[in-house]
Amino acid sequence: VRMRELRRTRGFSQAQVAGACGVSSAAVRAWERGVIPEGRHLVALAGLFGCSVDYLLGLDDATHGAAGAPLA
């Protein structure tokens, strides 16, 4: 999971990510250590970071959709 890289690049604190996803900061720390978030949280994180779920999970190196527009 590319959580830490994306969070730092986008300038978010762990508390901000936790608030956006409705989870605790401890959950965000766990995700950054490799625990895979539930599907609904993956979707929220991808929207927050402007990337695809596949990119977030490290399954794809493209951060944008097929049309070239950033994913929101």
Side-chain angles (χ1 to χ4, degrees):
V1 179
R2 295 175 165 153
M3 278 276 306
R4 182 175 294 140
E5 166 195 341
L6 287 166
R7 179 180 61 77
R8 288 180 176 169
T9 300
R10 304 300 195 275
F12 291 111
S13 68
Q14 287 181 336
Q16 288 172 313
V17 172
C21 293
V23 299
S24 67
S25 292
V28 174
R29 284 191 300 276
W31 296 342
E32 289 187 354
R33 287 192 315 267
V35 174
I36 305 297
E38 294 179 14
R40 64 190 167 120
H41 294 128
L42 286 170
V43 172
L45 290 164
L48 180 66
F49 296 137
C51 66
S52 68
V53 171
D54 284 349
Y55 181 82
L56 181 65
L57 292 173
L59 301 174
D60 190 354
D61 287 333
T63 60
H64 296 79
L71 299 172

